[in-house]
Amino acid sequence: MTIKGWNYNIHAKIITGYLTILVCLVLSLLIVINRMTALQNEVDFVSKHDIEVHDLANQIQKNILQMETGMRGYVITGNEEYLEPYNLASRSWLDNYNKLHSMLGDNGSQKGNLDEIKPLMMTWIEKSGEYVINQKKANNVEALDEHFTKNTGKKLTDQLRTQLDSFLTNEKQLTANRITQLNQNNTNLKITLYAIIILVTVITIVTAFFLSNSIVRTIKQVVEAIKSITDSESEVDLTTRIKVNTRDETQELAEAMNSLLSNLERQSWVQESMTDISTMYQGITDITELSQAFVTKLAPLLEATYGVVYLRRSQGGLVDYVKVAGYAIANEERVAASFRLGEGLIGQAAADKRIFLIDKLPEEHFEVTSGLGASSPTNLLIAPILFEDRVEAVVEFAAFQPFLAQHLTLLDLLQDKFGSVISSVNGRMEVERLLGESQILTEELQAQSEELQAQSEELQMQQEQLKVTNEFLEEQKQFAEQRAYDLKKAKDELEEYSLKLQMSSQYKTDFLANMSHELRTPLNSILILSQMLMESNTEMDSAEVSEYARVVNTSGGDLLRLIDDILDLSKIEAGKIEILTDEVNVTEIPQMMRNLFDPVAANKNVMFNVLTDPDVPAVILTDGQRLQQILKNLLSNAFKFTERGSVTVRMEMAAPEEVPDIQAEEGVLAISVTDTGIGIPLEKQQIIFDAFQQVDGTTNRQYGGTGLGLSICREFTKLLGGALHVQSEPGKGSTFTLYIPCKLESDYYGRVDDYGLALEEVAASTRVLTEEEVPADEPTEVESSGDLLFKGKKVLLVEDDGRNVFALVTALERKGVTVEVAENGKRAIEMLRQQADFDLIFMDIMMPVMGGYEAMQVIRQDLGMQSLPIIALTAKAMKGERDKCMEAGASDYIMKPLNIDQLFSLMRVWLTEQVDPQ
């Protein structure tokens, strides 16, 4: 469908169809509504007008009956109450009559009938009703009897009833007629509604048919046109175009199809041209012939009137493009023979690797001649021919008309294909050239073949040797790589060990500096006081000398303990300690701790508590000496670092989950030492147990000490099969908890690790009485008898140190002993050879000329003095030193510095044995 000046598309057609159907529906709805309104008005008229007319007529009839009844009741009874209905009806009948009369304005006949009733009503009221009432009121019985005898009122009443009945009958007939008309109108409405539905349906179908036919008809035209294009038996006719007269979407579909056909036609032309040119290449082996055939074939396809081909040439490293073929060239002199890269449009196209399209060429650019004349092309096309991104040739075409898009597409597709053909032809030409040269060289090669064969065999042998060598080198390479990896790993380990060694060296440096300080402090006191005693002995009284001697003795004891710590450090390297397991009375530990540390607590004004849980066993099986030493060290540290507050020892049984690493059948005893001292930072709570590492390891430490106490405690704890834990917070105090099994298993006896620390070994074989066991101010019977034993005895002292000689000689002579001194072992041998009446020999170990070991061997073996007691004096306290002295011939062994009481005790033992060998 076409409307002039308006594109009536499918969308508009569909909208028009829907609008037409909608208009029909609206009109139908309006007609139905109008008819239903008229019918409703008629129903309303019947329901309101007719019913009200009937009601009013019935009301008038009722009024007449009320007046007649009231009049008779009054006449009969004389009671005026019967007049109330009469009076009410006489007042209302005229109003009802007037309403009824007004409603009958459109019905003249009924109105006339009603007009005839009114005079009768007035006459009855006047001549019957009012007359009878008045006569009754006047009590005129005769008039009443005459009135009722004549039946004057009854005749009027009967006439009124007849008139009213006739009126009502007519009204009912009129109502019945109206109802019949209503039914007829209702039937007509149904017929009209059905007719409208049928009419709208017909209009809808016609409209739909018209619109679908209008749309489908044009689409069928497009489909038939497409079939006409593709149903050709020979080939597809791409020149056919679809024509559609409608101006809607089908026209757009046709135009799109025509555009598609145009594109297909161009692509078909490009493919056919490509096929023609590709078939032209076959059989050509000369590059010049190929170029000429290419330009001759391509120029007509591009509708060009001029064409030329330039091929790539490389000479001496320089690249240029030379003309090898042309099309319709009239003047060879005007055509350039060659171009370098970037020279002219030909060289620039080769350099840029893109197509140049130029239109509106000037007339003087060049001319194409024919038999009739010469003309100047106006359009120029220059395109590079590529192969593997290298320009193999450049073609140039000129034409009078503009080059089309399909021409450019064809040329673009030919760039790579023709480039590959050029490369292929050049390759074939090169192959032919090389083939000729190879034929020339064939004879020479054949002549050299025997020599090459021999060389080949030799090379094969060398190859096998190289293969073996390569395998060997590969193995060496793998070995070298593994060696390099091992060396790197060893280097890393050495660096790590070096770092640890540096740290250990620093710890030892700090430790030795601290130890030097600790050693110098008591030594300084000894030196000063001994010098004062030496210089001012005559000026001092005995009490002052005794005090100085006590201080010197105390300082010496401190030195001895420090030397013991140093010896313990040396026993770390020895790594051998013996554990003596015995029953330990746990109930004695609290009292022992109180005896030892109550004075310390009182001195520092610190509370000291020892708490024991009831479930703690009375006796455990462990090394009591090591246990006491651990507790002493822990309590010493607790009091050392606690200035105020309290120190608490608590003994209880540990829960299994507290120490899962300790397996003990009879339970684990937990002894905790809690103080309110300075506390230990979290990062230092582990290093305080390591050897040579302290919380503060410098010489300026506030609290002193060597820093080995906790290390000794930890290692002894391990030997006892237990564990030592610490919980601490700086500023609040610390809790050290010792866990030890109640029964030490045999696996732990004598066990110590590489860093185990040990307490002092008892060097002497006899029991030493300490000052606590035998007070100095109470001489015993043993001492008295000992002094008598010493008198008159002769002792040989072999010692090279004059200070030790002086001290020992002085002490022995006070006991009445005669002392001879030899400065070394050799001198002692000489003295024994001269006189053998010595009762005892004190033999130092480290001496010049001849040491103590060698001297004792000579005495026992060469001199044969097997029964002469020899007591070895040594500063060496390492494990095995006693056995070494015994093997050399010593009778007993005592360590330096000497405890004079221990020395006298040993002398009593050996001198007593000499007196009573039994």
Side-chain angles (χ1 to χ4, degrees), residues 588-613:
E588 295 178 354
I589 294 178
Q591 187 60 41
M592 180 187 67
M593 295 296 105
R594 289 191 185 96
N595 293 339
L596 289 176
F597 291 99
D598 276 344
V600 179
N603 185 42
K604 299 194 70 172
N605 197 20
V606 174
M607 293 182 61
F608 179 48
N609 300 315
V610 181
L611 306 176
T612 305
D613 280 6

Short mmCIF file of all heavy atoms in Angstrom, two decimals, residues 588-613:
data_model
loop_
_atom_site.label_atom_id
_atom_site.label_comp_id
_atom_site.label_asym_id
_atom_site.label_seq_id
_atom_site.Cartn_x
_atom_site.Cartn_y
_atom_site.Cartn_z
N GLU A 588 62.66 -33.06 105.25
CA GLU A 588 63.77 -32.30 105.83
C GLU A 588 64.13 -31.08 104.98
O GLU A 588 64.84 -30.19 105.43
CB GLU A 588 65.00 -33.20 105.97
CG GLU A 588 64.81 -34.34 106.96
CD GLU A 588 66.04 -35.23 107.03
OE1 GLU A 588 66.97 -35.00 106.22
OE2 GLU A 588 66.08 -36.13 107.88
N ILE A 589 63.67 -31.08 103.72
CA ILE A 589 64.06 -30.00 102.81
C ILE A 589 63.56 -28.64 103.31
O ILE A 589 64.32 -27.65 103.31
CB ILE A 589 63.57 -30.30 101.38
CG1 ILE A 589 64.31 -31.53 100.83
CG2 ILE A 589 63.79 -29.10 100.47
CD1 ILE A 589 63.87 -31.94 99.44
N PRO A 590 62.28 -28.47 103.75
CA PRO A 590 61.84 -27.15 104.19
C PRO A 590 62.69 -26.59 105.33
O PRO A 590 63.08 -25.40 105.29
CB PRO A 590 60.39 -27.40 104.63
CG PRO A 590 59.95 -28.58 103.83
CD PRO A 590 61.16 -29.45 103.71
N GLN A 591 62.99 -27.43 106.34
CA GLN A 591 63.78 -26.93 107.46
C GLN A 591 65.20 -26.57 107.03
O GLN A 591 65.78 -25.57 107.48
CB GLN A 591 63.82 -28.00 108.57
CG GLN A 591 64.48 -27.51 109.85
CD GLN A 591 63.76 -26.30 110.44
OE1 GLN A 591 62.54 -26.26 110.45
NE2 GLN A 591 64.52 -25.33 110.92
N MET A 592 65.76 -27.38 106.13
CA MET A 592 67.10 -27.08 105.63
C MET A 592 67.13 -25.74 104.91
O MET A 592 68.04 -24.93 105.08
CB MET A 592 67.56 -28.20 104.68
CG MET A 592 68.95 -27.97 104.10
SD MET A 592 69.36 -29.20 102.85
CE MET A 592 68.19 -28.74 101.57
N MET A 593 66.09 -25.48 104.05
CA MET A 593 66.04 -24.22 103.32
C MET A 593 65.88 -23.04 104.28
O MET A 593 66.47 -21.98 104.09
CB MET A 593 64.88 -24.25 102.32
CG MET A 593 65.03 -25.28 101.20
SD MET A 593 66.44 -24.95 100.13
CE MET A 593 67.58 -26.25 100.71
N ARG A 594 65.06 -23.25 105.37
CA ARG A 594 64.88 -22.16 106.33
C ARG A 594 66.20 -21.88 107.07
O ARG A 594 66.55 -20.71 107.29
CB ARG A 594 63.80 -22.54 107.34
CG ARG A 594 62.39 -22.56 106.75
CD ARG A 594 61.34 -22.68 107.85
NE ARG A 594 60.00 -22.82 107.30
CZ ARG A 594 59.37 -23.95 107.11
NH1 ARG A 594 59.98 -25.11 107.44
NH2 ARG A 594 58.14 -23.98 106.61
N ASN A 595 66.91 -22.94 107.44
CA ASN A 595 68.18 -22.74 108.14
C ASN A 595 69.18 -21.96 107.29
O ASN A 595 69.93 -21.14 107.80
CB ASN A 595 68.77 -24.09 108.56
CG ASN A 595 67.92 -24.79 109.62
OD1 ASN A 595 67.14 -24.15 110.33
ND2 ASN A 595 68.08 -26.11 109.71
N LEU A 596 69.17 -22.24 106.00
CA LEU A 596 70.15 -21.61 105.11
C LEU A 596 69.76 -20.18 104.75
O LEU A 596 70.64 -19.31 104.65
CB LEU A 596 70.31 -22.44 103.84
CG LEU A 596 71.03 -23.78 103.98
CD1 LEU A 596 71.03 -24.53 102.65
CD2 LEU A 596 72.47 -23.59 104.45
N PHE A 597 68.47 -19.91 104.53
CA PHE A 597 68.10 -18.63 103.92
C PHE A 597 67.26 -17.73 104.83
O PHE A 597 66.94 -16.61 104.42
CB PHE A 597 67.31 -18.89 102.62
CG PHE A 597 68.17 -19.46 101.53
CD1 PHE A 597 68.17 -20.83 101.27
CD2 PHE A 597 69.00 -18.64 100.78
CE1 PHE A 597 68.97 -21.36 100.28
CE2 PHE A 597 69.79 -19.17 99.78
CZ PHE A 597 69.79 -20.53 99.53
N ASP A 598 66.88 -18.17 106.04
CA ASP A 598 66.20 -17.26 106.96
C ASP A 598 67.09 -16.07 107.31
O ASP A 598 66.61 -14.91 107.34
CB ASP A 598 65.78 -18.00 108.24
CG ASP A 598 64.44 -18.70 108.06
OD1 ASP A 598 63.72 -18.35 107.06
OD2 ASP A 598 64.08 -19.57 108.86
N PRO A 599 68.40 -16.29 107.60
CA PRO A 599 69.25 -15.12 107.86
C PRO A 599 69.32 -14.17 106.66
O PRO A 599 69.34 -12.96 106.83
CB PRO A 599 70.62 -15.75 108.18
CG PRO A 599 70.30 -17.13 108.64
CD PRO A 599 69.13 -17.56 107.85
N VAL A 600 69.38 -14.72 105.44
CA VAL A 600 69.42 -13.87 104.24
C VAL A 600 68.14 -13.05 104.12
O VAL A 600 68.16 -11.85 103.83
CB VAL A 600 69.63 -14.73 102.98
CG1 VAL A 600 69.65 -13.86 101.74
CG2 VAL A 600 70.92 -15.53 103.09
N ALA A 601 66.98 -13.71 104.38
CA ALA A 601 65.70 -13.01 104.28
C ALA A 601 65.62 -11.92 105.34
O ALA A 601 65.13 -10.81 105.07
CB ALA A 601 64.55 -14.02 104.44
N ALA A 602 66.07 -12.24 106.55
CA ALA A 602 66.02 -11.23 107.61
C ALA A 602 66.93 -10.06 107.28
O ALA A 602 66.59 -8.90 107.53
CB ALA A 602 66.41 -11.87 108.95
N ASN A 603 68.10 -10.35 106.72
CA ASN A 603 69.04 -9.29 106.38
C ASN A 603 68.49 -8.36 105.30
O ASN A 603 68.70 -7.14 105.34
CB ASN A 603 70.36 -9.93 105.91
CG ASN A 603 71.42 -8.88 105.65
OD1 ASN A 603 71.58 -7.92 106.42
ND2 ASN A 603 72.18 -9.05 104.58
N LYS A 604 67.74 -8.91 104.30
CA LYS A 604 67.18 -8.10 103.21
C LYS A 604 65.76 -7.63 103.51
O LYS A 604 65.13 -6.98 102.66
CB LYS A 604 67.18 -8.89 101.90
CG LYS A 604 68.56 -9.32 101.43
CD LYS A 604 68.56 -9.78 99.98
CE LYS A 604 68.35 -8.63 99.05
NZ LYS A 604 68.51 -9.01 97.63
N ASN A 605 65.23 -7.99 104.72
CA ASN A 605 63.86 -7.60 105.10
C ASN A 605 62.85 -8.11 104.08
O ASN A 605 61.97 -7.39 103.61
CB ASN A 605 63.76 -6.08 105.25
CG ASN A 605 62.51 -5.69 106.02
OD1 ASN A 605 61.93 -6.51 106.76
ND2 ASN A 605 62.09 -4.43 105.88
N VAL A 606 63.00 -9.38 103.70
CA VAL A 606 62.13 -10.03 102.71
C VAL A 606 61.48 -11.23 103.39
O VAL A 606 62.15 -11.98 104.12
CB VAL A 606 62.93 -10.48 101.47
CG1 VAL A 606 62.04 -11.28 100.53
CG2 VAL A 606 63.51 -9.27 100.74
N MET A 607 60.18 -11.42 103.16
CA MET A 607 59.49 -12.56 103.73
C MET A 607 59.91 -13.84 103.01
O MET A 607 60.07 -13.84 101.78
CB MET A 607 57.96 -12.39 103.59
CG MET A 607 57.39 -11.25 104.42
SD MET A 607 55.58 -11.16 104.23
CE MET A 607 55.14 -12.78 104.86
N PHE A 608 60.09 -14.93 103.78
CA PHE A 608 60.49 -16.21 103.21
C PHE A 608 59.54 -17.28 103.73
O PHE A 608 59.41 -17.48 104.95
CB PHE A 608 61.94 -16.53 103.59
CG PHE A 608 62.41 -17.86 103.07
CD1 PHE A 608 62.21 -18.21 101.74
CD2 PHE A 608 63.06 -18.77 103.89
CE1 PHE A 608 62.64 -19.43 101.25
CE2 PHE A 608 63.49 -19.99 103.42
CZ PHE A 608 63.28 -20.31 102.09
N ASN A 609 58.84 -17.95 102.79
CA ASN A 609 57.85 -18.97 103.15
C ASN A 609 58.18 -20.27 102.42
O ASN A 609 58.59 -20.25 101.24
CB ASN A 609 56.43 -18.54 102.75
CG ASN A 609 56.02 -17.25 103.46
OD1 ASN A 609 56.23 -17.11 104.66
ND2 ASN A 609 55.47 -16.31 102.70
N VAL A 610 57.98 -21.39 103.13
CA VAL A 610 58.15 -22.72 102.53
C VAL A 610 56.84 -23.47 102.77
O VAL A 610 56.46 -23.71 103.92
CB VAL A 610 59.33 -23.49 103.12
CG1 VAL A 610 59.47 -24.84 102.44
CG2 VAL A 610 60.62 -22.68 102.97
N LEU A 611 56.14 -23.83 101.67
CA LEU A 611 54.84 -24.47 101.75
C LEU A 611 54.93 -25.88 101.18
O LEU A 611 55.57 -26.08 100.13
CB LEU A 611 53.79 -23.67 100.98
CG LEU A 611 53.66 -22.19 101.37
CD1 LEU A 611 52.66 -21.49 100.46
CD2 LEU A 611 53.26 -22.05 102.83
N THR A 612 54.30 -26.84 101.84
CA THR A 612 54.33 -28.23 101.39
C THR A 612 52.92 -28.78 101.37
O THR A 612 52.20 -28.70 102.38
CB THR A 612 55.20 -29.09 102.31
OG1 THR A 612 56.50 -28.52 102.41
CG2 THR A 612 55.30 -30.52 101.77
N ASP A 613 52.48 -29.33 100.22
CA ASP A 613 51.15 -29.93 100.11
C ASP A 613 51.12 -31.26 100.85
O ASP A 613 52.14 -31.98 100.94
CB ASP A 613 50.79 -30.15 98.64
CG ASP A 613 50.32 -28.85 98.02
OD1 ASP A 613 50.39 -27.81 98.70
OD2 ASP A 613 49.89 -28.88 96.84
#
